[in-house]
Every structure is written in C-alpha cells, then in structure tokens.
Amino acid sequence: MAEKLQEYQGITGRLHCAKERYRERLVQWREEHPRGIRQVIRETLFGIPSSDDAPERVTQDGDAGEYSDLFRRKSRMELMRISAAVMGIEFSYAGETAFVSPTLLQIGVPHQQMTLVWALSPLIGFFMTPLLGSLSDRCNSKFGRRRPFIVLMSIGVLLGLILVPNGEAIGYVLGDQGNGNRTEVPSVLGPRSSALDTAGTNHHPWGVFFTVLGTVFLDFDADACQSPARAYLLDVTVPEDHARGLSTFTIMAGLGGFMGYALGGINWDDTTLGEIFGGHVRAVFSLITIIFIVCVSATVTSFKEIPLSELHGNEDLRKPAQSQRLQESFDADDGDVEKNSLHIDKTSYGSLNQPEVDTALNIPEFAHSGEPLSLRHYLKSIVVMPNSLRVVCLTNLFCWMAHVCYSLYFTDFVGEAVFGGNPAAPVGSLSRINYEAGVRFGCWGMAMYSLSCACYSTIIEKLIKRLGAKKVYVGGLCTYSCGMMMLSLLRVRAAVILFSWTAGVMYSTLFTMPYLLVAHYHATGMWDSAGGGSGEERGIGTDVAVVSSCVFVAQLLVSFIMGFAVKAMGSTAAVVTVAAILAAAAAFTATKITYLDL
C-alpha cells in the first residue's frame, strides 16, 4: 500500500500518505489507551492512573495492594498535586512579608523591637525543625510518617493567618483601649500610610500579644511545613522521579509567591470581597486561607503512605519495589544482562544488597528498630554527620544568607540607593515620595524574581541531565552573585527588574539542589566518591530538616551583620553587595560537594 502511494504525484499523493500515517497512529494510540479519551483526560488533569500495567507487574512479586502506586513513575500532574502544599505556603509567605510589619507598627510595636519579633521564629525553628524531622522518620501513625506533620504544621499556619489580621480586634474584645484609630493597613504595592509614622499613644497589650503570636505561628510553621512536604515528595516517588519532582516542587513555590504578591497588590477595598471580609488586609488573608486549605488538602490526599508499623518486618512491601526497578532497568536496556547489572549499581536508588536504606521509600533500617527517640540521637544527627552532608549544609547556609539579604531588605535598597529616597523624611517631602515609589518599584522586582524562579525550575532538571549537578549548582550561584554585584554598581531602575531575575535562578537552585543531593546520598547509601557509607544510621527526614534549618541560622546571622555592613558602606547598596559576596562563597563551597554520579 505504501509503495503504491509513493507513485502518487502532487497534493493528492501527499494527502493519501498523511491519511495513512494518521490512521496508523490512531490505531497505535488506541492500543496504548484502551480505556479511551476520558480516562486519558482524567490521568492528565487529576493524576488518576489509566493503566494497571505497573500495579500488576508489582503485585506479581509481592502483595503491595493499595500502595502499588508508590512504586511507579509519576506524571507531571501527579507531581504538581504532591507539591501543591508548597504553593499554599508561598501564598502565606507573600501575605506575611507584605502585611505583618505594617500591622505590628500600627498597633504600637516600636521599630527597635521589630527585629526581636522576627527573630523569635528562627530561634524556635533552628531547634525544632530537625527534631520534627527526626520524629517524622519514626512516626507510627496509620496515615504515614509525613502527612500527620504536614497537617499539624498547616494548622499552625492557619492560626497565624487568622491571628495576624485579627489580633488588634481580639485585643479590643479583651479590653484594649488604644486610641480608637483603626486605620487599615495599605496595599503592598500602594502608598505607605502616614498613620504608621505617628508616634501616637496606642496601647494594645492584648492586640500586640495575639498579633506577635500569629506572626510566630505563621513564620515558624510555614518554614517547618516545607520539610515534611519535601520528605513526602521523596517518599512517594521513585528515585528516578526525584529531580523532576523537586523541580516541580520549586515551580509550584515560585508560582505561589508570584500570585501571592499579585493578590496583595489588588485594591480589595474597592471590591465587593473587600466589603464582605472587612477591608483590604482581611480580604487578602481570607483568600490566602482558602487557597492554603485547598492546596494542602490536594497534597495530603494525593498518595497514601505506607505506615511504619506495616513496613516493620514486612518484606512483601519491599519486594515490589525491587522487582519493579529491576524490570524497568531491563526494559530500558533491551534485556542486555551485563549492561543492566552495571545499570543497577549506578542508578540513584543504589545497590539492592545494601541493608542500610530501603531503596524504594527512603526508609532507614533504624526507623524499624523500635528504639525511642531521644534528644541525644537528635543532637547527634546535627553535630555528627558525614563530611559530604556537612559541606552541603555549609553551602546551603551561604545560599540562604545571600537570599535573605535580597528578600528582607531589597525594597529598602531600591527606595534609598536607586530612587534616592529617605524613609525618615517628612511625609509629603520629595525624598519621602521617592522612597515610597522605590519601595513599590522594588515589589515589582520581587514579583519578577518569583516568576523567574518558576520559569527556571521548568528547565533545571534538563540542565542537570545535560550539564551535570555540579555545573548547574555552581553556575546558578555565580549567576546570582554577578547579578547582585552589577546591581550594586549600576543602581538604575532597569537593573532592578533585569537582575532580579537572577534571584529567581538562585532561589530555584537552593530550593532544589541540596535536597536532590540528600535524596541521592540516602538512595545510593554512598556518601563519598569512594563509595563509602555514612558510618551511621540516618533518616532522610532528619537530614532534609537539618538542611532546611539553615534558613533559620541565615536569618539570624544576616540580621546581626546587615546593620554593620550598611553603616560601613554608608549606603543600603551594602544589601546587594553582601548578597553577592555570600553567593560567591556558596559557589566556592559548592565546588567541594560530593556529587557522585549526579
């Protein structure tokens, strides 16, 4: 038939050839998707598997039952659903950074005490987050090890989202007198309210207490929730999906931050929703609360975790993963036995003969030993760690310090160093107007950074495969360092928008690479280039939390050094200069990381 069609000349012949090709592809598609287009749409949009091939292949060698979906590759939509919680977290961050400080100032908290308020969460988080990770590794809940902690931290975030915009009102109910002047907090992209510059005689002890309490709940729990959310992603996906999963995780975070800033920039006072919720701030926090609940619900209902009690001594739940991985290895290489053997030794899930780590679900053997969690074990996990993990933590600390410089002080830098404004100038003066314009313009730069993070995250996985993890890690840090240094030198409006995109590259890098490395170490059971182990039994939840806790240390250190740096340089350009130096230090230590075969 094909030879006969080749004899046709002109348009008619080409149409016949195209028709025949289309018919062949249609037949092939129907063979691959016997359940039809409706099931394909369900799989694409909602992450519902359309084929039982993988579960069947799993259950032939073990009774995995309802957990068989954990041992197969996940679609992009499934990874997005697993990562939805971090989008809700980033929405919460946007509301926090936009409105917490003005709210605290409005109810009478002096500027001098503002740093102490923001230091409470890092102090608590540094000690509590790794402990929560260790508890998560040993959690015996029937709902799994990660989801109970995601729900617990989410409840704390919800309390923060309720208390921050309503703390002053709760104070009035409990007897606060104040001065009766309840000025609404301005939009994040709107003009700064002159009410915030009035010394006033506000006295809101209960209002301050509940607002500060809400701030601690929101800041700490939003940070702490990311560790079990990442560990959950790594647990319910196969190691072959870890890079793609972490990049999806970062994409969702970037999109959440971008849309969160945009949500805060809308003037809700002029809308029906603003009237319903009682003003701009309450409207924003109410919408964020709804979005957060939807996102977290999508994550915790995506895939069931295998309870630790069922894993203890149940080899049937380990065999399916091993069988599935072996089958995929042989399928990938057309049954070449010798080539596949090499393949098994080098893949990210490690050798099947290594007893230290469950290769399917990143479950350490000591988690099944029944030993009670102790403070000694927790401290040992932080102080005593493999050298490779220590270098990863040091690099991540420098990364977070460089990023915190940007995220906490960037708008002030734009207002003073780029626009030449003065925040202490009288209201209505040219210097004050320029500063306020600079702050608003800086917010647009931060929106671009969030968008850049989401965009770069879509390609970071391909870059890792093409260039290798080391080049991507070091290159991302060098890009940010150069961008901040150029911004420090140029100090023009175009540079604010242009070089803010490098901050997105940085954030995507620190959001992905350290956790990919930790997952790789645990999956392979190798912690150095010679193939050696860690020398101790460690849980991936604990190590993810230890790496994550670097953000708390970074926030504390930056809060101490930034004032001295600005005073030494005599300009807020010190903000981006210090960020550039710290990113360069991170790039240097990243060259010392053990990458194995990543």
Side-chain angles (χ1 to χ4, degrees):
M1 181 67 178
E3 294 177 357
K4 185 175 181 180
L5 287 175
Q6 294 297 328
E7 299 176 359
Y8 282 91
Q9 300 295 327
I11 298 177
T12 304
R14 287 194 291 270
L15 287 176
H16 278 289
C17 290
K19 181 179 179 181
E20 189 67 22
R21 287 195 299 269
Y22 172 77
R23 183 179 301 169
E24 292 176 355
R25 291 177 182 176
L26 181 60
V27 171
Q28 182 180 0
W29 186 89
R30 286 176 176 173
E31 292 176 352
E32 296 174 353
H33 306 86
R35 299 188 182 184
I37 188 66
R38 290 182 60 185
Q39 191 65 27
V40 173
I41 294 175
R42 291 183 64 198
E43 178 183 0
T44 303
L45 297 181
F46 306 106
I48 302 174
S50 61
S51 175
D52 293 331
D53 291 343
E56 286 176 0
R57 192 162 55 181
V58 168
T59 56
Q60 285 173 0
D61 296 291
D63 186 16
E66 60 182 325
Y67 306 115
S68 57
D69 278 345
L70 300 182
F71 306 112
R72 63 172 175 82
R73 300 291 297 270
K74 306 297 189 297
S75 67
R76 178 69 73 173
M77 291 302 299
E78 288 174 322
L79 294 175
M80 290 176 64
R81 184 176 177 182
I82 296 171
S83 306
V86 76
M87 174 179 278
I89 292 172
E90 291 299 324
F91 266 98
S92 303
Y93 274 137
E96 175 190 20
T97 56
F99 300 111
V100 164
S101 294
T103 300
L104 290 172
L105 290 170
Q106 179 180 324
I107 61 178
V109 179
H111 283 275
Q112 294 81 0
Q113 297 179 12
M114 187 65 66
T115 303
L116 296 178
V117 173
W118 284 109
L120 290 175
S121 174
L123 284 173
I124 298 172
F126 175 70
F127 294 100
M128 288 299 299
T129 300
L131 179 59
L132 290 172
S134 186
L135 287 169
S136 174
D137 280 336
R138 297 168 178 262
C139 179
N140 287 303
S141 170
K142 66 178 181 179
F143 299 107
R145 298 179 298 156
R146 316 303 181 189
R147 291 186 298 172
F149 286 87
I150 295 175
V151 173
L152 179 64
M153 298 298 103
S154 297
I155 292 173
V157 173
L158 289 175
L159 288 174
L161 291 172
I162 293 171
L163 289 176
V164 168
N166 297 292
E168 182 183 4
I170 296 174
Y172 282 116
V173 172
L174 295 178
D176 282 353
Q177 298 299 317
N179 60 4
N181 183 13
R182 308 186 190 186
T183 305
E184 293 295 332
V185 181
S187 166
V188 63
L189 300 182
R192 183 181 175 89
S193 172
S194 59
L196 302 181
D197 301 294
T198 304
T201 57
N202 285 359
H203 184 63
H204 303 98
W206 284 112
V208 169
F209 171 76
F210 283 107
T211 304
V212 171
L213 181 63
T215 301
V216 174
F217 270 125
L218 182 56
D219 198 36
F220 166 72
D221 287 297
D223 281 330
C225 190
Q226 293 196 33
S227 294
R230 283 195 190 93
Y232 175 68
L233 168 69
L234 298 175
D235 279 354
V236 301
T237 57
V238 295
E240 294 85 353
D241 279 338
H242 283 172
R244 193 161 58 108
L246 288 171
S247 66
T248 303
F249 194 87
T250 311
I251 293 171
M252 300 293 282
L255 290 176
F258 176 74
M259 290 187 289
Y261 282 114
L263 189 66
I266 299 173
N267 187 2
W268 295 102
D269 286 328
D270 295 336
T271 66
T272 304
L273 285 177
E275 297 178 2
I276 294 175
F277 291 118
H280 178 83
V281 177
R282 288 181 179 174
V284 171
F285 273 82
S286 298
L287 292 173
I288 288 175
T289 300
I290 296 172
I291 293 170
F292 180 78
I293 292 173
V294 172
C295 289
V296 172
S297 299
T299 292
V300 298
T301 59
S302 57
F303 288 92
K304 290 184 178 181
E305 297 180 81
I306 304 177
L308 199 58
S309 58
E310 294 188 27
L311 281 168
H312 180 62
N314 191 345
E315 293 298 325
D316 288 340
L317 290 175
R318 299 170 184 267
K319 291 177 181 178
Q322 298 177 357
S323 175
Q324 177 75 356
R325 301 291 173 73
L326 281 169
Q327 184 64 45
E328 290 178 357
S329 298
F330 279 91
D331 289 346
D333 291 310
D334 296 326
D336 187 331
V337 177
E338 181 178 358
K339 186 175 181 180
N340 273 282
S341 300
L342 294 173
H343 180 68
I344 292 171
D345 289 337
K346 292 184 177 181
T347 49
S348 61
Y349 54 87
S351 172
L352 299 178
N353 294 323
Q354 293 174 349
E356 289 86 357
V357 179
D358 185 291
T359 59
L361 300 174
N362 299 309
I363 298 171
E365 290 296 332
F366 78 87
H368 311 293
S369 62
E371 297 177 3
L373 178 66
S374 64
L375 181 62
R376 179 175 175 272
H377 168 73
Y378 157 63
L379 294 176
K380 182 180 178 181
S381 297
I382 299 176
V383 178
V384 181
M385 64 176 66
N387 183 65
S388 54
L389 183 60
R390 187 176 292 109
V391 178
V392 171
C393 289
L394 179 61
T395 302
N396 202 40
L397 175 62
F398 283 137
C399 288
W400 273 113
M401 290 180 70
H403 177 70
V404 166
C405 291
Y406 175 88
S407 61
L408 294 186
Y409 306 104
F410 184 70
T411 53
D412 184 57
F413 156 73
V414 177
E416 294 192 46
V418 178
F419 278 68
N422 182 5
V427 177
S429 65
L430 181 60
S431 295
R432 183 57 174 272
I433 293 173
N434 287 339
Y435 179 79
E436 292 173 350
V439 170
R440 294 194 298 271
F441 195 83
C443 288
W444 284 113
M446 295 191 74
M448 293 300 102
Y449 124 77
S450 295
L451 184 60
S452 168
C453 175
C455 293
Y456 183 72
S457 298
T458 62
I459 64 172
I460 190 170
E461 178 191 358
K462 296 179 181 178
L463 291 176
I464 293 173
K465 291 180 179 179
R466 184 178 182 86
L467 303 176
K470 183 176 183 179
K471 292 182 180 179
V472 173
Y473 205 170
V474 176
L477 299 177
C478 289
T479 298
Y480 176 75
S481 180
C482 293
M484 292 298 102
M485 187 57 68
M486 292 298 296
L487 189 55
S488 174
L489 297 174
L490 297 178
R491 306 183 195 179
V492 295
R493 300 185 185 189
V496 171
I497 300 297
L498 178 62
F499 294 119
S500 286
W501 283 78
T502 65
V505 173
M506 165 73 162
Y507 194 54
S508 176
T509 300
L510 70 87
F511 222 80
T512 303
M513 296 305 303
Y515 307 101
L516 180 62
L517 288 167
V518 170
H520 190 61
Y521 293 154
H522 278 271
T524 60
M526 295 185 295
W527 296 74
D528 57 55
S529 56
S534 66
E536 57 187 284
E537 297 173 327
R538 306 183 63 89
I540 189 173
T542 303
D543 286 341
V544 166
V546 169
V547 172
S548 299
S549 67
C550 293
V551 64
F552 302 118
V553 183
Q555 189 171 335
L556 285 173
L557 293 178
V558 170
S559 65
F560 290 138
I561 69 174
M562 190 52 67
F564 295 104
V566 172
K567 184 176 181 181
M569 286 192 63
S571 169
T572 54
V575 169
V576 289
T577 302
V578 172
I581 294 173
L582 290 170
F588 173 76
T589 56
T591 62
K592 307 300 181 181
I593 290 177
T594 301
Y595 292 93
L596 300 177
D597 57 346
L598 275 177

